[in-house]
Amino acid sequence: MAVKFIGDSYDFPCANQVENYGGDMNLYIVWDHHLIYCAPNAYRVPVNIKFRDFLEQVFAPDYKQHPDAEKVKWDEGVWQMENEAWTPDFDKTLEENNIAHNSFIRVNTPGLEGMHGVGN
Amino acid sequence: MTTKAKRLNMNQKYQLMTRGLDWETTYQDMDDVFPYDKYEGIKIKDWDKWQDPFRLTVDAYWKYQSEKERKLYAILDSVAQNNSQLSISDARYMNAVKIWMQGVTPLEYNAFRGFCTLGRGFRGAGARVACQFQAIDEMRHHQTQIHAFSHYNKFFNGMNQQSRIRDRAWYLSIPKSYFEDAMTAGPFEFITAISFSFEYVLTNLLFMPFVSGAAYNGDLATTTFGFSAQSDESRHMTLGLEIIKFMLEQHEDNVPIIQGWLDKWFWRGYRLLGLVGTMMDYMLPKKVMSWRQAWEIYWEENGVALFNDLARYGIKMPKHHETATKEKNRITHEFWSTIYQFSHATALYTWIPGNEELDWLSAEYGELFDTVYRPRYEYWKELDDKGERFFQERLPVVCNVCQIPIFHTMPDDPLKNCCLVSEYKGTKHQMCSEGCLDIFNNEPEKYCQAYIPPQQIYQGNCGGATLDDYRKWLHIRDEDTGEYYGSEDHQMWEKWKAQAGKPTDEAA
């Protein structure tokens, strides 16, 4: 099914295309089972930042009010991209990891299932 | 000698207005005069089969409405003269009023615009007339709500930027996008979306809790406009059911088109109503009923019965209704958690419910509430007691269809966010659910244009890159936002209570 319209064409650019980010891109990432932070986080990031630097310097500090934040070891995480199994190389850049604009990454850290063991 | 013409009765007047005054054009092609009522694919063989059960005429409409206006404004005067803001249950209640005024009152105005378009767009005069009356009703609701709330605006924060934040604020893009989605569709989809899915199927879940909640919580102004709008609403509901039956009876080819719209607008309406459910469960200090209970009565019983009635036309239950029912024990807690942590970027106050309220929520929601949400609130309360009130500083991923931050969890796993992806024109788009994903995939050309607040903030279009910059761009002041306890509304309320010799929160 496609949109029905009047006139000759119905063709508009995506409002969130990468061209609107001046060389940067959007990255979406969620740390599963830490739902006191309600939703996946959104970041505007440079494409050449190392994945480890992003995780340690940008992502992890956003969970600072969670008791699991100081225990986490990202290397032991189970990773997904677009909800499918994926293995990142922490010392490569986002681009080299094939992380593209609006990629959605999910990390699950066995043993750290949130407070009370119920994903909080 | 001339004889006086006999006065016409109501039915004759209605017939003349909606049939006799209409004509088939001859100088111009009818399709050029009514260019919008065919492209959606709905086939109408005989517009005269359209029956308006109310058969309203202009003079009757004027008479009814002016009577209601006189009563309403007499009471609103009395509300102002008698300082009725002092009679509400608690100042926290006022946040339910704020969310209505910020989010729903603008919808009334958009409904006015939409029905004006329909009042010109349909080629059947009966349908045009009904839509014109409804347009006037909607404008009236918009105005009476603003007039009713204006008294509260003298005392409480968060109500003074309604028209600006309606267009800009992330949490108000949820209702705004809902209506604009309908308004940018064709006239038949609009009327299915608004008159049927919204006004008929879901309105009891919207109007009932709000107006009853107002009555329970001592808000005379809101209760009065609610009752004043009630008779209009029942007329709108009837219109909604009539238009659906009319379209279904006109041509069998209409059935699959309408089914698609019912699937879409059921899900969009359900997502929108999560906000209302949250208001019911959390913002009403005196509770009417829980969201779960309202869902069971108004959807699982009444809504399902309605769809059973429509089965004879070949209409099936809306897609994903099972998921909506699965979510009934969690959606409002997830939503409140979200507003709680982002309330520094809203013109609302939020708080952790008191112990009695938590007990009520436990009783209404049972095990899931006790194991997941209650401990979550208790943790946030601990942080707050240490002076570390929990706020999320990072922007969330927002659903590209319903525009709600993706706090939603998997249908069968309430401990894990659900975030689905669809790629269109080389750009990935995120959705909160199978319901929103279906809507996106059916019309990606449309939804790829959505104005999603976090994306726009990061593109540099909203005053800066942080939530603080963004809030300033919304013109929401520091004192309008954040934690309720200690806020200006709270302090004022405590002062009033002390003056009246009532126990204050500190003493309680």
Side-chain angles (χ1 to χ4, degrees), chain B residues 115-373:
Chain B
F115 280 102
C116 282
T117 310
L118 268 52
R120 170 65 183 85
F122 286 134
R123 74 187 66 194
R128 282 209 304 280
V129 166
C131 291
Q132 286 162 15
F133 283 129
Q134 182 158 353
I136 305 170
D137 290 339
E138 303 292 358
M139 175 56 101
R140 173 174 179 268
H141 297 172
H142 180 74
Q143 289 175 333
T144 53
Q145 286 170 25
I146 288 182
H147 291 156
F149 296 147
S150 69
H151 178 68
Y152 296 127
N153 180 41
K154 296 175 197 163
F155 305 99
F156 298 95
N157 287 336
M159 297 186 175
N160 61 335
Q161 286 291 337
Q162 189 234 25
S163 61
R164 192 191 309 264
I165 64 175
R166 165 199 75 201
D167 284 337
R168 292 189 170 188
W170 61 275
Y171 62 111
L172 303 177
S173 78
I174 301 164
K176 177 180 155 77
S177 75
Y178 175 94
F179 240 88
E180 291 183 351
D181 189 350
M183 289 166 75
T184 49
F188 286 109
E189 184 178 345
F190 179 90
I191 206 164
T192 305
I194 305 305
S195 295
F196 184 72
S197 296
F198 195 71
E199 305 251 31
Y200 197 90
V201 183
L202 299 169
T203 202
N204 282 328
L205 283 161
L206 179 74
F207 221 73
M208 191 289 307
F210 185 62
V211 177
S212 319
Y216 266 53
N217 286 278
D219 173 3
L220 186 59
T222 299
T223 309
T224 309
F225 91 60
F227 284 133
S228 185
Q230 203 93 326
S231 58
D232 300 341
E233 296 296 344
S234 54
R235 190 152 32 78
H236 301 170
M237 285 176 72
T238 312
L239 175 75
L241 191 57
E242 287 303 315
I243 192 80
I244 283 289
K245 287 184 175 167
F246 170 69
M247 287 192 283
L248 291 169
E249 283 166 5
Q250 283 290 308
H251 204 290
E252 62 186 20
D253 290 355
N254 295 345
V255 175
I257 301 175
I258 292 166
Q259 180 72 52
W261 290 337
L262 294 178
D263 292 346
K264 167 180 171 181
W265 289 99
F266 166 80
W267 188 258
R268 287 223 64 175
Y270 161 65
R271 274 292 186 247
L272 177 61
L273 286 178
L275 202 50
V276 179
T278 306
M279 178 193 84
M280 287 164 69
D281 280 348
Y282 286 91
M283 290 184 169
L284 300 180
K286 290 192 179 161
K287 314 290 185 194
V288 180
M289 61 166 66
S290 65
W291 167 257
R292 176 196 57 76
Q293 200 186 353
W295 184 256
E296 287 169 358
I297 296 173
Y298 295 112
W299 173 254
E300 291 179 41
E301 289 173 31
N302 299 356
V304 171
L306 169 68
F307 272 83
N308 287 340
D309 282 348
L310 293 174
R312 66 193 156 104
Y313 296 104
I315 290 294
K316 296 191 282 283
M317 287 285 283
K319 261 180 108 174
H320 306 300
H321 71 94
E322 305 91 340
T323 306
T325 293
K326 271 183 195 168
E327 290 178 350
K328 70 183 173 187
N329 285 316
R330 58 176 115 142
I331 189 91
T332 60
H333 319 308
E334 293 173 344
F335 220 138
W336 182 250
S337 297
T338 303
I339 307 176
Y340 179 81
Q341 63 193 267
F342 284 111
S343 72
H344 55 321
T346 67
L348 299 168
Y349 300 123
T350 53
W351 56 88
I352 295 295
N355 285 334
E356 270 178 40
E357 290 165 317
L358 290 173
D359 290 343
W360 178 81
L361 289 163
S362 289
E364 288 294 317
Y365 288 99
E367 197 191 339
L368 189 66
F369 186 82
D370 284 337
T371 50
V372 178
Y373 311 109

Side-chain angles (χ1 to χ4, degrees), chain B residues 410-449:
Chain B
M410 309 257 188
D412 295 309
D413 183 358
L415 307 186
K416 204 169 164 187
N417 288 108
C418 183
C419 181
L420 308 174
V421 184
S422 182
E423 190 160 332
Y424 177 69
K425 278 191 178 176
T427 300
K428 290 173 184 153
H429 300 82
Q430 273 69 26
M431 264 65 66
C432 69
S433 54
E434 294 285 347
C436 283
L437 184 71
D438 277 354
I439 295 170
F440 184 90
N441 286 340
N442 282 336
E443 295 179 296
E445 310 90 331
K446 183 172 188 176
Y447 296 98
C448 81
Q449 303 167 61

Side-chain angles (χ1 to χ4, degrees), chain B residues 103-118:
Chain B
V104 181
T105 302
L107 298 187
E108 306 274 12
Y109 186 73
N110 275 348
F112 157 73
R113 293 169 65 199
F115 280 102
C116 282
T117 310
L118 268 52

Side-chain angles (χ1 to χ4, degrees), chain B residues 5-16:
Chain B
K6 259 193 182 169
R7 285 178 66 116
L8 300 168
N9 68 29
M10 292 273 281
N11 197 29
Q12 289 167 321
K13 281 187 199 169
Y14 176 77
Q15 288 303 331
L16 282 172

